Amino acid sequence: MIKEATATTVRRNLGDLIKRIQHRHDSILVTKAGKPVAAIVDIELFNKMRALESEFDRLVGGLQGAFKGETIETVEKALRKAKTVSRRRGRR
């Protein structure tokens, strides 16, 4: 569950919040002046996020290599075609 806490509350209660995150697998959205500024998550979720970021970077690198030297118009056309094919497959 995602809980919201002010930065001041986090400073005052960090130990308790860490226990809650560790044992309940909660996430804390830290706010300052009513705006989200950070999040505290358990290590399992953090590791998943790192793995997703790594996979995303790998995929982006592959796309950059595949389209190296191409114009933006060529890339956009290929993306539109891929979206159309993907949507058609989803309807089956």
Side-chain angles (χ1 to χ4, degrees):
M1 177 180 277
I2 299 175
K3 303 284 184 176
E4 195 171 302
T6 65
T8 303
T9 300
V10 171
R11 265 195 310 273
R12 288 185 193 147
N13 303 297
L14 185 59
D16 290 336
L17 292 172
I18 288 175
K19 285 180 189 175
R20 185 180 192 164
I21 291 164
Q22 182 180 11
H23 298 293
R24 295 185 191 171
H25 304 286
D26 285 350
S27 297
I28 307 294
L29 179 65
V30 183
T31 62
K32 203 167 188 181
K35 296 180 182 178
V37 294
I40 306 172
V41 299
D42 72 316
I43 194 65
E44 185 178 319
L45 177 56
F46 178 75
N47 287 334
K48 287 178 184 177
M49 290 176 357
R50 285 179 60 195
L52 285 171
E53 182 179 34
S54 177
E55 179 64 8
F56 179 79
D57 290 344
R58 186 189 69 76
L59 291 170
V60 167
L63 285 171
Q64 286 173 333
F67 288 100
K68 188 174 185 173
E70 297 291 340
T71 66
I72 191 69
E73 291 81 16
T74 303
V75 174
E76 288 174 346
K77 182 178 177 182
L79 286 172
R80 283 192 300 274
K81 183 177 179 182
K83 285 180 187 179
T84 301
V85 169
S86 177
R87 287 181 184 134
R88 286 183 187 152
R89 286 183 182 160
R91 292 182 189 149
R92 291 181 189 174

Coordinates of all heavy atoms in Angstrom, one line a residue:
M1 N 0.8 -1.2 0.0 CA 0.0 0.0 0.0 C 0.9 1.2 0.0 O 1.9 1.3 0.7 CB -0.9 0.0 1.2 CG -1.8 1.2 1.3 SD -2.8 1.2 2.8 CE -4.2 0.2 2.1
I2 N 0.5 2.3 -0.7 CA 1.2 3.5 -0.8 C 0.7 4.5 0.3 O -0.5 4.8 0.2 CB 1.2 4.1 -2.2 CG1 1.8 3.2 -3.2 CG2 1.9 5.5 -2.2 CD1 1.7 3.6 -4.6
K3 N 1.5 4.9 1.2 CA 1.2 5.9 2.2 C 1.8 7.2 1.8 O 2.9 7.2 1.2 CB 1.6 5.4 3.6 CG 1.1 4.1 4.0 CD -0.3 4.2 4.4 CE -0.7 2.8 4.9 NZ -2.1 2.9 5.5
E4 N 1.3 8.3 2.3 CA 1.9 9.6 2.0 C 2.3 10.2 3.4 O 1.6 10.1 4.4 CB 0.8 10.5 1.4 CG 1.4 11.7 0.8 CD 0.4 12.5 -0.1 OE1 -0.2 11.9 -1.0 OE2 0.1 13.7 0.3
A5 N 3.5 10.8 3.4 CA 4.0 11.4 4.6 C 4.8 12.7 4.2 O 5.5 12.7 3.2 CB 4.9 10.4 5.3
T6 N 4.8 13.7 5.0 CA 5.6 14.9 4.8 C 7.0 14.6 5.1 O 7.3 13.6 5.8 CB 5.1 16.0 5.7 OG1 5.3 15.7 7.0 CG2 3.6 16.3 5.4
A7 N 7.9 15.4 4.6 CA 9.3 15.2 4.8 C 9.6 15.3 6.3 O 10.4 14.6 6.9 CB 10.1 16.3 4.0
T8 N 8.9 16.2 7.0 CA 9.1 16.4 8.5 C 8.7 15.1 9.2 O 9.4 14.6 10.1 CB 8.2 17.6 9.0 OG1 8.6 18.7 8.2 CG2 8.4 17.8 10.4
T9 N 7.6 14.5 8.8 CA 7.1 13.3 9.4 C 8.1 12.1 9.2 O 8.4 11.4 10.1 CB 5.7 12.9 8.9 OG1 4.8 13.9 9.2 CG2 5.2 11.6 9.5
V10 N 8.7 12.1 8.0 CA 9.7 11.1 7.7 C 10.9 11.3 8.5 O 11.4 10.3 9.1 CB 10.0 11.1 6.2 CG1 11.2 10.2 5.9 CG2 8.8 10.7 5.3
R11 N 11.4 12.5 8.7 CA 12.5 12.8 9.6 C 12.3 12.3 11.0 O 13.1 11.7 11.6 CB 12.9 14.3 9.5 CG 13.9 14.6 8.5 CD 14.4 16.1 8.8 NE 13.4 17.1 9.0 CZ 12.9 17.8 8.0 NH1 13.2 17.5 6.8 NH2 12.0 18.7 8.3
R12 N 11.1 12.6 11.5 CA 10.8 12.3 12.9 C 10.6 10.8 13.1 O 10.8 10.3 14.2 CB 9.5 13.0 13.3 CG 9.7 14.5 13.5 CD 8.4 15.1 14.1 NE 8.5 16.5 14.0 CZ 7.5 17.3 13.8 NH1 6.3 16.8 13.6 NH2 7.6 18.6 13.7
N13 N 10.1 10.1 12.1 CA 9.7 8.7 12.3 C 10.4 7.7 11.3 O 9.8 6.7 11.0 CB 8.1 8.6 12.0 CG 7.4 9.5 13.0 OD1 7.4 9.4 14.2 ND2 6.7 10.5 12.4
L14 N 11.6 8.0 10.9 CA 12.2 7.2 9.9 C 12.3 5.7 10.3 O 12.1 4.8 9.5 CB 13.6 7.8 9.6 CG 14.3 7.1 8.4 CD1 13.5 7.1 7.1 CD2 15.7 7.7 8.2
G15 N 12.8 5.5 11.5 CA 12.9 4.1 12.0 C 11.6 3.3 11.9 O 11.6 2.2 11.4
D16 N 10.5 3.9 12.4 CA 9.2 3.2 12.3 C 8.8 3.0 10.9 O 8.2 2.0 10.5 CB 8.2 4.0 13.1 CG 8.4 4.0 14.6 OD1 9.0 3.0 15.1 OD2 7.9 4.9 15.3
L17 N 9.0 4.0 10.0 CA 8.6 3.9 8.6 C 9.4 2.8 7.9 O 8.8 2.0 7.1 CB 8.8 5.2 7.9 CG 7.8 6.4 8.3 CD1 8.2 7.7 7.7 CD2 6.4 6.0 8.0
I18 N 10.7 2.7 8.2 CA 11.5 1.6 7.6 C 11.0 0.3 8.0 O 10.9 -0.6 7.2 CB 13.0 1.8 7.9 CG1 13.5 3.0 7.2 CG2 13.8 0.6 7.6 CD1 14.9 3.4 7.5
K19 N 10.6 0.1 9.3 CA 10.1 -1.2 9.8 C 8.8 -1.5 9.0 O 8.6 -2.6 8.6 CB 9.8 -1.1 11.3 CG 11.0 -1.2 12.1 CD 10.7 -1.2 13.6 CE 11.9 -1.0 14.4 NZ 11.6 -0.8 15.8
R20 N 8.0 -0.5 8.8 CA 6.7 -0.7 8.2 C 6.9 -1.1 6.7 O 6.2 -2.0 6.2 CB 5.9 0.6 8.2 CG 4.6 0.6 7.7 CD 4.0 2.0 7.9 NE 2.6 2.1 7.7 CZ 1.9 3.1 8.1 NH1 2.4 4.1 8.7 NH2 0.6 3.1 7.8
I21 N 7.8 -0.4 6.1 CA 8.2 -0.8 4.7 C 8.7 -2.2 4.6 O 8.3 -3.0 3.7 CB 9.1 0.3 4.1 CG1 8.5 1.6 4.0 CG2 9.7 -0.2 2.8 CD1 9.4 2.8 3.8
Q22 N 9.6 -2.5 5.5 CA 10.3 -3.8 5.4 C 9.3 -5.0 5.7 O 9.3 -6.0 5.0 CB 11.4 -3.9 6.5 CG 12.2 -5.1 6.5 CD 13.2 -5.1 7.6 OE1 13.3 -4.2 8.4 NE2 14.1 -6.1 7.6
H23 N 8.4 -4.8 6.7 CA 7.5 -5.9 7.1 C 6.2 -5.9 6.4 O 5.7 -7.0 6.1 CB 7.3 -5.9 8.6 CG 8.6 -6.1 9.3 ND1 9.3 -7.3 9.3 CD2 9.3 -5.2 10.1 CE1 10.4 -7.1 10.0 NE2 10.5 -5.9 10.5
R24 N 5.7 -4.8 6.0 CA 4.4 -4.7 5.4 C 4.5 -4.5 3.9 O 3.5 -4.5 3.1 CB 3.5 -3.6 5.9 CG 3.1 -3.8 7.4 CD 2.2 -2.7 7.8 NE 2.0 -2.7 9.2 CZ 1.4 -1.7 9.9 NH1 0.9 -0.7 9.2 NH2 1.2 -1.7 11.2
H25 N 5.7 -4.2 3.4 CA 6.0 -3.9 2.0 C 5.2 -2.7 1.5 O 4.8 -2.6 0.4 CB 5.7 -5.1 1.1 CG 6.5 -6.3 1.5 ND1 7.8 -6.5 1.3 CD2 6.1 -7.5 2.2 CE1 8.2 -7.6 1.8 NE2 7.2 -8.2 2.4
D26 N 5.0 -1.8 2.4 CA 4.3 -0.5 2.1 C 5.3 0.4 1.3 O 6.5 0.1 1.3 CB 3.9 0.3 3.3 CG 2.7 -0.3 4.0 OD1 2.0 -1.1 3.4 OD2 2.4 0.2 5.1
S27 N 4.9 1.4 0.7 CA 5.7 2.4 0.0 C 5.3 3.7 0.6 O 4.1 3.9 0.9 CB 5.5 2.4 -1.5 OG 5.9 1.2 -2.0
I28 N 6.3 4.6 0.8 CA 6.0 5.9 1.3 C 6.3 7.0 0.3 O 7.3 7.0 -0.3 CB 6.8 6.2 2.6 CG1 6.7 5.1 3.6 CG2 6.5 7.6 3.2 CD1 5.4 5.0 4.3
L29 N 5.3 7.8 0.0 CA 5.4 8.9 -0.9 C 5.7 10.1 0.0 O 4.9 10.5 0.8 CB 4.1 9.1 -1.7 CG 4.2 10.3 -2.7 CD1 5.2 10.1 -3.8 CD2 2.8 10.5 -3.3
V30 N 6.9 10.7 -0.2 CA 7.3 11.8 0.7 C 7.0 13.1 0.0 O 7.3 13.3 -1.2 CB 8.9 11.7 0.9 CG1 9.3 12.9 1.8 CG2 9.3 10.4 1.5
T31 N 6.3 14.0 0.7 CA 5.8 15.2 0.1 C 6.5 16.4 0.9 O 6.9 16.3 2.0 CB 4.3 15.4 0.2 OG1 3.9 15.4 1.6 CG2 3.6 14.3 -0.5
K32 N 6.6 17.5 0.2 CA 7.1 18.7 0.7 C 6.3 19.8 0.1 O 6.1 19.9 -1.1 CB 8.6 18.9 0.3 CG 9.4 19.8 1.2 CD 10.9 19.6 0.9 CE 11.7 20.4 2.0 NZ 13.1 20.3 1.7
A33 N 5.7 20.6 1.0 CA 4.8 21.7 0.6 C 3.6 21.1 -0.2 O 3.2 21.7 -1.2 CB 5.5 22.8 -0.1
G34 N 3.2 19.9 0.1 CA 2.1 19.3 -0.6 C 2.4 18.6 -1.9 O 1.6 18.1 -2.6
K35 N 3.7 18.7 -2.3 CA 4.1 18.1 -3.6 C 5.0 16.9 -3.4 O 5.9 16.9 -2.6 CB 4.9 19.1 -4.5 CG 4.0 20.3 -4.8 CD 4.8 21.3 -5.6 CE 3.9 22.5 -6.0 NZ 4.7 23.6 -6.7
P36 N 4.8 15.8 -4.2 CA 5.6 14.6 -4.1 C 7.1 15.0 -4.5 O 7.3 15.6 -5.5 CB 5.0 13.7 -5.1 CG 3.7 14.2 -5.4 CD 3.7 15.7 -5.2
V37 N 8.0 14.6 -3.6 CA 9.4 14.8 -3.9 C 10.3 13.6 -3.9 O 11.4 13.6 -4.4 CB 10.0 15.9 -2.9 CG1 9.4 17.2 -3.1 CG2 9.9 15.4 -1.5
A38 N 9.8 12.5 -3.3 CA 10.6 11.3 -3.2 C 9.7 10.1 -2.8 O 8.5 10.3 -2.4 CB 11.7 11.4 -2.2
A39 N 10.2 8.9 -2.9 CA 9.5 7.7 -2.5 C 10.5 6.8 -1.7 O 11.6 6.7 -2.1 CB 8.9 7.0 -3.6
I40 N 9.9 6.1 -0.7 CA 10.7 5.1 0.0 C 10.0 3.8 -0.3 O 8.8 3.7 0.0 CB 10.8 5.4 1.5 CG1 11.3 6.8 1.7 CG2 11.7 4.3 2.1 CD1 11.2 7.2 3.2
V41 N 10.7 2.8 -0.9 CA 10.1 1.5 -1.2 C 11.0 0.4 -0.6 O 12.1 0.6 -0.3 CB 10.0 1.3 -2.7 CG1 9.1 2.4 -3.3 CG2 11.4 1.3 -3.4
D42 N 10.4 -0.8 -0.5 CA 11.1 -1.9 0.0 C 12.1 -2.4 -1.0 O 12.0 -2.1 -2.2 CB 10.2 -3.1 0.5 CG 9.5 -3.8 -0.7 OD1 9.1 -3.1 -1.6 OD2 9.5 -5.0 -0.6
I43 N 13.1 -3.2 -0.6 CA 14.2 -3.5 -1.5 C 13.8 -4.4 -2.6 O 14.3 -4.3 -3.7 CB 15.4 -4.2 -0.6 CG1 16.7 -4.3 -1.5 CG2 14.9 -5.6 -0.1 CD1 17.2 -2.9 -1.8
E44 N 12.8 -5.2 -2.4 CA 12.3 -6.1 -3.5 C 11.7 -5.3 -4.7 O 12.1 -5.5 -5.8 CB 11.2 -7.0 -3.0 CG 10.7 -8.0 -4.0 CD 9.6 -8.9 -3.4 OE1 9.8 -9.4 -2.2 OE2 8.6 -9.2 -4.1
L45 N 10.9 -4.3 -4.3 CA 10.4 -3.4 -5.4 C 11.5 -2.6 -6.0 O 11.6 -2.4 -7.3 CB 9.3 -2.4 -4.8 CG 8.7 -1.4 -5.8 CD1 8.1 -2.1 -7.0 CD2 7.7 -0.6 -5.1
F46 N 12.5 -2.1 -5.2 CA 13.6 -1.3 -5.7 C 14.4 -2.2 -6.7 O 14.8 -1.7 -7.8 CB 14.5 -0.9 -4.6 CG 15.7 -0.1 -5.0 CD1 15.6 1.2 -5.5 CD2 17.0 -0.7 -5.0 CE1 16.7 1.9 -5.9 CE2 18.1 0.0 -5.4 CZ 18.0 1.3 -5.9
N47 N 14.7 -3.4 -6.4 CA 15.4 -4.3 -7.3 C 14.6 -4.6 -8.6 O 15.2 -4.6 -9.7 CB 15.8 -5.6 -6.6 CG 16.9 -5.5 -5.6 OD1 17.7 -4.5 -5.7 ND2 16.9 -6.3 -4.6
K48 N 13.3 -4.7 -8.5 CA 12.5 -4.9 -9.7 C 12.6 -3.6 -10.6 O 12.7 -3.7 -11.8 CB 11.0 -5.1 -9.4 CG 10.8 -6.5 -8.8 CD 9.3 -6.7 -8.5 CE 9.1 -8.0 -7.8 NZ 7.7 -8.2 -7.4
M49 N 12.6 -2.4 -10.0 CA 12.6 -1.2 -10.7 C 14.0 -1.1 -11.4 O 14.1 -0.7 -12.6 CB 12.4 0.0 -9.8 CG 11.0 0.1 -9.4 SD 10.5 1.4 -8.2 CE 12.0 2.2 -7.8
R50 N 15.1 -1.5 -10.7 CA 16.4 -1.4 -11.4 C 16.5 -2.4 -12.5 O 17.1 -2.1 -13.6 CB 17.4 -1.8 -10.3 CG 17.7 -0.7 -9.3 CD 18.7 -1.0 -8.3 NE 20.0 -1.4 -8.9 CZ 21.0 -2.0 -8.3 NH1 20.8 -2.3 -7.0 NH2 22.1 -2.2 -8.9
A51 N 15.9 -3.6 -12.4 CA 15.9 -4.6 -13.5 C 15.1 -4.0 -14.7 O 15.6 -4.2 -15.8 CB 15.3 -5.9 -13.0
L52 N 14.0 -3.4 -14.4 CA 13.2 -2.8 -15.5 C 13.9 -1.7 -16.2 O 13.9 -1.6 -17.4 CB 11.8 -2.3 -15.0 CG 10.8 -3.4 -14.7 CD1 9.6 -2.7 -14.0 CD2 10.3 -4.1 -15.9
E53 N 14.6 -0.9 -15.4 CA 15.4 0.2 -16.0 C 16.5 -0.3 -16.9 O 16.8 0.2 -18.0 CB 16.0 1.1 -14.9 CG 16.8 2.3 -15.4 CD 17.3 3.1 -14.3 OE1 17.7 2.6 -13.3 OE2 17.4 4.4 -14.5
S54 N 17.2 -1.4 -16.4 CA 18.2 -2.0 -17.2 C 17.7 -2.6 -18.5 O 18.3 -2.4 -19.6 CB 18.9 -3.1 -16.3 OG 19.9 -3.7 -17.1
E55 N 16.6 -3.3 -18.4 CA 16.0 -3.8 -19.6 C 15.6 -2.7 -20.6 O 15.7 -2.9 -21.8 CB 14.8 -4.7 -19.3 CG 14.1 -5.4 -20.4 CD 15.0 -6.4 -21.2 OE1 16.1 -6.7 -20.8 OE2 14.5 -6.8 -22.3
F56 N 15.0 -1.7 -20.1 CA 14.6 -0.5 -20.9 C 15.8 0.0 -21.6 O 15.7 0.3 -22.8 CB 13.9 0.5 -20.1 CG 13.4 1.7 -20.8 CD1 12.3 1.7 -21.6 CD2 14.2 2.9 -20.8 CE1 11.9 2.8 -22.3 CE2 13.8 4.0 -21.5 CZ 12.6 4.0 -22.3
D57 N 16.9 0.3 -20.9 CA 18.1 0.8 -21.5 C 18.6 -0.1 -22.6 O 19.1 0.3 -23.6 CB 19.2 1.0 -20.4 CG 18.8 2.2 -19.5 OD1 17.9 3.0 -19.8 OD2 19.5 2.2 -18.4
R58 N 18.5 -1.4 -22.4 CA 19.0 -2.4 -23.4 C 18.1 -2.3 -24.6 O 18.6 -2.3 -25.8 CB 18.9 -3.8 -22.8 CG 19.5 -4.9 -23.7 CD 19.2 -6.3 -23.2 NE 17.8 -6.6 -23.3 CZ 17.2 -7.0 -24.4 NH1 17.8 -7.0 -25.6 NH2 15.9 -7.3 -24.4
L59 N 16.8 -2.2 -24.5 CA 15.9 -2.1 -25.6 C 16.1 -0.8 -26.4 O 16.1 -0.8 -27.6 CB 14.5 -2.2 -25.1 CG 14.0 -3.6 -24.6 CD1 12.7 -3.5 -24.0 CD2 14.0 -4.6 -25.8
V60 N 16.3 0.3 -25.7 CA 16.5 1.6 -26.3 C 17.8 1.5 -27.1 O 17.9 2.0 -28.2 CB 16.6 2.7 -25.3 CG1 17.1 4.0 -25.9 CG2 15.2 3.0 -24.7
G61 N 18.9 0.9 -26.5 CA 20.1 0.8 -27.2 C 20.0 0.0 -28.5 O 20.5 0.3 -29.6
G62 N 19.2 -1.1 -28.4 CA 18.9 -1.9 -29.6 C 18.2 -1.1 -30.7 O 18.5 -1.2 -31.9
L63 N 17.2 -0.3 -30.3 CA 16.5 0.5 -31.3 C 17.4 1.6 -31.9 O 17.3 1.9 -33.1 CB 15.3 1.2 -30.6 CG 14.1 0.3 -30.3 CD1 13.0 1.0 -29.5 CD2 13.5 -0.2 -31.6
Q64 N 18.2 2.2 -31.0 CA 19.1 3.2 -31.6 C 20.0 2.6 -32.6 O 20.3 3.2 -33.7 CB 19.9 3.8 -30.4 CG 19.1 4.8 -29.6 CD 19.9 5.3 -28.4 OE1 20.8 4.6 -27.9 NE2 19.5 6.4 -27.9
G65 N 20.5 1.4 -32.4 CA 21.4 0.7 -33.3 C 20.6 0.4 -34.6 O 21.2 0.5 -35.7
A66 N 19.4 -0.1 -34.4 CA 18.6 -0.5 -35.6 C 18.2 0.7 -36.5 O 18.1 0.5 -37.7 CB 17.3 -1.2 -35.1
F67 N 18.1 1.8 -35.9 CA 17.7 3.0 -36.7 C 18.8 4.0 -36.9 O 18.5 5.1 -37.4 CB 16.5 3.7 -36.1 CG 15.2 2.9 -36.2 CD1 14.7 2.1 -35.2 CD2 14.5 2.9 -37.4 CE1 13.6 1.4 -35.3 CE2 13.3 2.1 -37.5 CZ 12.9 1.4 -36.5
K68 N 20.0 3.6 -36.7 CA 21.2 4.5 -36.8 C 21.2 5.0 -38.3 O 21.2 4.3 -39.2 CB 22.5 3.8 -36.5 CG 23.6 4.7 -36.4 CD 24.9 4.0 -35.9 CE 26.0 5.0 -35.7 NZ 27.1 4.4 -35.1
G69 N 21.3 6.3 -38.4 CA 21.4 6.9 -39.8 C 20.1 7.2 -40.4 O 20.1 7.7 -41.5
E70 N 19.0 6.7 -39.8 CA 17.7 6.9 -40.4 C 17.1 8.3 -40.0 O 17.5 8.9 -39.0 CB 16.7 5.9 -39.9 CG 17.1 4.5 -40.3 CD 16.9 4.2 -41.8 OE1 16.2 4.9 -42.5 OE2 17.6 3.3 -42.3
T71 N 16.2 8.8 -40.8 CA 15.6 10.1 -40.5 C 14.5 9.9 -39.5 O 14.0 8.7 -39.3 CB 14.9 10.7 -41.8 OG1 13.9 9.9 -42.2 CG2 16.0 10.9 -42.9
I72 N 14.1 10.9 -38.8 CA 13.0 10.8 -37.9 C 11.7 10.4 -38.5 O 10.9 9.6 -37.9 CB 12.8 12.1 -37.1 CG1 11.9 11.9 -35.9 CG2 12.3 13.3 -37.9 CD1 12.4 11.1 -34.8
E73 N 11.5 10.8 -39.8 CA 10.3 10.4 -40.5 C 10.2 8.9 -40.7 O 9.2 8.2 -40.5 CB 10.2 11.1 -41.8 CG 9.9 12.6 -41.7 CD 11.2 13.4 -41.4 OE1 12.3 12.9 -41.6 OE2 11.0 14.6 -41.0
T74 N 11.4 8.3 -41.0 CA 11.5 6.8 -41.2 C 11.2 6.1 -39.9 O 10.5 5.1 -39.9 CB 12.9 6.5 -41.8 OG1 13.1 7.2 -43.0 CG2 13.0 5.0 -42.0
V75 N 11.7 6.6 -38.8 CA 11.5 6.0 -37.5 C 10.1 6.1 -37.1 O 9.5 5.1 -36.7 CB 12.4 6.6 -36.5 CG1 12.1 6.1 -35.1 CG2 13.9 6.4 -36.8
E76 N 9.5 7.2 -37.3 CA 8.0 7.4 -36.9 C 7.1 6.5 -37.8 O 6.2 6.0 -37.3 CB 7.6 8.9 -37.1 CG 8.2 9.8 -36.0 CD 8.0 11.2 -36.2 OE1 7.6 11.7 -37.3 OE2 8.2 12.0 -35.2
K77 N 7.5 6.4 -39.1 CA 6.7 5.5 -39.9 C 6.8 4.1 -39.5 O 5.8 3.4 -39.4 CB 7.2 5.6 -41.4 CG 6.4 4.8 -42.4 CD 6.9 5.0 -43.8 CE 6.2 4.1 -44.8 NZ 6.7 4.3 -46.1
A78 N 7.9 3.6 -39.1 CA 8.1 2.3 -38.6 C 7.4 2.0 -37.3 O 6.8 1.0 -37.1 CB 9.6 2.0 -38.4
L79 N 7.4 3.0 -36.4 CA 6.6 3.0 -35.2 C 5.1 2.9 -35.4 O 4.4 2.1 -34.8 CB 7.0 4.1 -34.3 CG 8.3 4.1 -33.6 CD1 8.6 5.4 -32.9 CD2 8.5 2.9 -32.6
R80 N 4.6 3.7 -36.3 CA 3.2 3.6 -36.6 C 2.8 2.3 -37.2 O 1.8 1.7 -36.8 CB 2.8 4.7 -37.7 CG 2.7 6.1 -37.1 CD 2.0 7.1 -38.1 NE 2.8 7.2 -39.3 CZ 3.8 8.1 -39.5 NH1 4.2 8.9 -38.5 NH2 4.4 8.2 -40.6
K81 N 3.6 1.7 -38.0 CA 3.4 0.4 -38.6 C 3.4 -0.7 -37.5 O 2.5 -1.5 -37.5 CB 4.4 0.0 -39.7 CG 4.2 -1.3 -40.3 CD 5.2 -1.5 -41.4 CE 4.9 -2.9 -42.1 NZ 5.9 -3.2 -43.1
A82 N 4.3 -0.6 -36.6 CA 4.4 -1.6 -35.5 C 3.2 -1.5 -34.6 O 2.7 -2.5 -34.2 CB 5.7 -1.3 -34.7
K83 N 2.7 -0.3 -34.3 CA 1.5 -0.1 -33.5 C 0.3 -0.7 -34.2 O -0.5 -1.4 -33.5 CB 1.3 1.4 -33.2 CG 2.2 2.0 -32.2 CD 1.8 3.5 -32.1 CE 2.8 4.2 -31.2 NZ 2.5 5.7 -31.1
T84 N 0.2 -0.5 -35.5 CA -1.0 -1.1 -36.2 C -0.9 -2.6 -36.2 O -2.0 -3.2 -35.9 CB -0.9 -0.6 -37.7 OG1 -1.0 0.8 -37.7 CG2 -2.1 -1.1 -38.5
V85 N 0.2 -3.2 -36.4 CA 0.3 -4.6 -36.4 C 0.0 -5.1 -35.0 O -0.7 -6.1 -34.8 CB 1.8 -5.1 -36.8 CG1 2.0 -6.5 -36.5 CG2 2.0 -4.8 -38.3
S86 N 0.5 -4.5 -33.9 CA 0.3 -4.9 -32.6 C -1.2 -4.8 -32.2 O -1.7 -5.7 -31.6 CB 1.1 -4.0 -31.6 OG 0.8 -4.3 -30.3
R87 N -1.9 -3.8 -32.6 CA -3.3 -3.6 -32.4 C -4.1 -4.7 -33.1 O -5.1 -5.3 -32.5 CB -3.8 -2.3 -32.8 CG -3.3 -1.2 -31.9 CD -3.9 0.2 -32.3 NE -3.3 1.2 -31.5 CZ -2.8 2.4 -31.9 NH1 -2.8 2.6 -33.2 NH2 -2.4 3.2 -31.0
R88 N -3.7 -5.1 -34.3 CA -4.4 -6.1 -35.0 C -4.3 -7.5 -34.3 O -5.2 -8.3 -34.2 CB -3.9 -6.2 -36.4 CG -4.4 -5.1 -37.3 CD -3.9 -5.2 -38.7 NE -4.3 -4.0 -39.5 CZ -3.6 -3.6 -40.5 NH1 -2.5 -4.3 -40.9 NH2 -4.0 -2.5 -41.2
R89 N -3.1 -7.8 -33.8 CA -2.8 -9.0 -33.1 C -3.6 -9.1 -31.8 O -4.0 -10.1 -31.4 CB -1.3 -9.2 -32.8 CG -0.5 -9.5 -34.0 CD 0.9 -9.7 -33.6 NE 1.7 -10.0 -34.8 CZ 3.0 -9.8 -34.9 NH1 3.7 -9.4 -33.9 NH2 3.7 -10.1 -36.0
G90 N -3.8 -7.9 -31.2 CA -4.5 -7.9 -29.9 C -6.0 -8.2 -30.1 O -6.7 -8.6 -29.2
R91 N -6.5 -8.0 -31.3 CA -8.0 -8.2 -31.5 C -8.3 -9.7 -31.8 O -9.5 -10.0 -31.8 CB -8.4 -7.4 -32.8 CG -8.4 -5.9 -32.5 CD -8.8 -5.1 -33.7 NE -8.6 -3.7 -33.5 CZ -8.4 -2.9 -34.5 NH1 -8.3 -3.3 -35.7 NH2 -8.2 -1.6 -34.2
R92 N -7.3 -10.5 -32.0 CA -7.6 -11.9 -32.4 C -8.0 -12.7 -31.2 O -7.9 -12.5 -30.1 CB -6.3 -12.5 -32.9 CG -6.0 -12.0 -34.3 CD -4.8 -12.7 -34.8 NE -4.3 -12.0 -36.0 CZ -3.2 -12.3 -36.6 NH1 -2.4 -13.2 -36.2 NH2 -2.9 -11.6 -37.7

